[in-house]
């Protein structure tokens, strides 16, 4: 029988690694948050799984230091619960879990796509559908018997559209064409140029291409898009409508795969685009869900996504309701889940 090492802090190392930011938290078995840290995005598709996981080490050390722990000579905690963006295929999840095992952070490790973390943050158990619309877009569904519904979420290669990056690129596409005469007029052209303090959207495109504007700033265009749509601009409104349609299609297909269209089911909505609670998007989306899946119960989660990783980790430990309530209170004091 293999001897299991005693962790310095019995509990969970919760990791939520997204495209634009990463949060880690050390959670005691009773749900107490002992230490946290935040860093940049997680990109195993660019640097490889092992390197991406190794890149989490400074954040883990920072969270451990905040908790008053030094784990150079021991295992940090009982279980690592990692909800990771770009872990879109089961083979990718397994590779990342193997990479986690090479670090002395937890006795056991689990890896799930970050959309499962969103689902857990917005529900009280393993039943429902979640759509994340942040930098990208993805959807998962889950039943108590373990059945899942999920999508490859590899971008346009697998039929995906939208999220902050997709909205930004499409906004630029229309804006530049409006300027050079290939497309119809749209107020997006002037609004995007003014947002970046440049004379035209063509100049914005050149600045991004030449590296004068960081590519990461492109996501700011999503906010510009919603502001322009609110003025009634037809092109901007069409993009918002398309995004609502994409989110609704994902949710309805996932509900159908799990035979949940005919019973009340949570549809958890999260990620930066949805958490910003833009009325034009949410009203459109709610209407589409009401028509296609009238028993769906849409709810927007604005609590930090690492909450879902923490709850999944506590589930793994068999922690009771008191521990789950305690960690929810730390991250979500008003239970910030609203329809």
């Amino acid at each position: 029988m293999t001897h299991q090492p005693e962790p310095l802090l019995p509990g969970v190392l919760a990791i939520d690694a997204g495209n634009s930011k990463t949060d880690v938290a050390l959670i005691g078995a009773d749900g107490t948050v002992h230490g946290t840290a935040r860093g940049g995005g997680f990109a195993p598709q660019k640097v490889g799984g092992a390197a991406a996981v190794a890149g989490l080490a400074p954040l883990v050390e920072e969270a451990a230091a905040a908790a008053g722990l030094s784990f150079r000579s021991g295992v940090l905690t009982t279980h690592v619960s990692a909800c990771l963006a770009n872990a879109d295929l089961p083979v990718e999840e397994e590779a990342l879990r193997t990479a986690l095992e090479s670090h002395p952070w937890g006795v056991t490790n689990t890896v799930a796509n970050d959309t499962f973390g969103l689902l857990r943050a917005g529900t009280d158990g393993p039943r429902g559908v979640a759509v994340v619309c942040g930098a990208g877009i993805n959807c998962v569904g889950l039943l108590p018997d373990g059945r899942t519904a999920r999508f490859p979420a590899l971008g346009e290669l697998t039929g995906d559209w939208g999220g902050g990056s997709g909205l930004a690129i499409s906004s630029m596409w229309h804006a530049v064409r409006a300027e050079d005469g290939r497309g119809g007029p749209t107020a997006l052209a002037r609004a995007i140029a003014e947002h970046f303090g440049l004379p035209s959207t063509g100049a914005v495109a050149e600045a991004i291409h030449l590296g004068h504007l960081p590519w990461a700033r492109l996501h700011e265009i999503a906010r510009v898009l919603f502001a322009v749509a609110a003025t009634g601009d037809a092109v901007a409104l069409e993009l918002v409508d398309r995004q609502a349609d994409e989110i609704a299609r994902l949710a309805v297909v996932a509900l159908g795969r799990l035979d949940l269209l005919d019973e009340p089911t949570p549809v958890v909505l999260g990620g930066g685009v949805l958490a910003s609670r833009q009325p034009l998007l949410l009203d459109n989306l709610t209407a589409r869900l009401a028509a296609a899946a009238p028993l769906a119960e849409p709810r927007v989660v604005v609590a930090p996504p690492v909450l879902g990783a923490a709850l999944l980790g506590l589930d793994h430990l068999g922690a009771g309701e008191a521990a789950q309530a305690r960690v929810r209170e730390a991250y979500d004091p008003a239970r910030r889940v609203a329809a």
Side-chain angles (χ1 to χ4, degrees):
M1 182 175 180
T2 303
H3 174 69
Q4 297 284 11
E6 288 296 324
L8 296 177
L9 175 70
V12 176
L13 173 63
I15 302 173
D16 176 79
N19 286 291
S20 59
K21 62 179 173 59
T22 297
D23 281 314
V24 303
L26 270 170
I27 314 293
D30 66 350
T32 300
V33 179
H34 290 277
T36 65
R38 170 170 287 188
F42 185 76
Q45 77 280 16
K46 295 180 180 178
V47 302
V53 169
L56 299 174
L59 296 180
V60 176
E61 292 188 15
E62 182 181 340
L69 300 172
S70 175
F71 63 101
R72 295 293 183 182
S73 60
V75 175
L76 182 58
T77 192
T78 313
H79 181 68
V80 177
S81 173
C83 293
L84 308 177
N86 303 304
D88 296 309
L89 303 174
V91 64
E92 293 173 321
E93 291 180 344
E94 181 58 26
L96 289 166
R97 189 190 65 78
T98 299
L100 277 171
E101 287 182 342
S102 68
H103 296 271
W105 298 338
V107 178
T108 57
N109 304 272
T110 57
V111 169
N113 182 270
D114 57 341
T115 315
F116 284 103
L118 170 65
L119 178 61
R120 184 62 183 89
T123 59
D124 292 320
R127 181 181 175 278
V129 165
V131 182
V132 62
C133 188
I137 189 167
N138 199 358
C139 174
V140 300
L142 182 63
L143 289 177
D145 63 10
R147 282 188 292 157
T148 62
R150 57 191 303 176
F151 298 83
L154 303 179
E156 291 186 0
L157 282 174
T158 51
D160 309 307
W161 182 86
S165 296
L167 289 171
I169 291 293
S170 292
S171 296
M172 284 292 297
W173 189 89
H174 285 286
V176 171
R177 290 171 68 90
E179 283 182 347
D180 68 17
R182 286 178 292 170
T186 173
L188 284 168
R190 174 178 292 181
I192 292 172
E194 289 179 349
H195 176 79
F196 290 104
L198 292 172
S200 67
T201 48
V204 173
E206 289 181 12
I208 292 172
H209 174 71
L210 294 173
H212 301 152
L213 273 177
W215 183 268
R217 289 197 63 192
L218 202 65
H219 76 274
E220 297 172 18
I221 294 174
R223 297 198 300 271
V224 178
L225 167 66
F226 285 113
V228 171
T231 70
D233 182 83
V235 171
L237 284 170
E238 181 182 353
L239 291 176
V240 174
D241 182 69
R242 183 180 178 188
Q243 184 66 93
D245 180 62
E246 288 291 321
I247 295 168
R249 285 176 185 270
L250 284 166
V252 170
V253 169
L255 288 166
R257 288 181 183 175
L258 297 177
D259 299 318
L260 292 172
L261 284 170
D262 296 325
E263 53 186 279
T265 304
V267 174
V268 182
L269 307 169
V273 172
L274 284 165
S276 66
R277 300 186 63 83
Q278 297 288 340
L280 284 173
L281 177 62
L282 288 183
D283 291 348
N284 188 323
L285 172 58
T286 301
R288 289 178 180 276
L289 287 174
L295 296 181
E297 301 170 347
R299 53 184 71 173
V300 178
V301 171
V302 298
V306 72
L307 170 62
L311 289 167
L312 287 171
L314 291 173
D315 291 343
H316 183 87
L317 297 182
E321 293 182 2
Q324 295 180 6
R326 187 171 288 111
V327 75
R328 275 197 185 277
E329 177 64 23
Y331 283 104
D332 197 12
R335 188 63 192 272
R336 292 176 293 181
V337 179

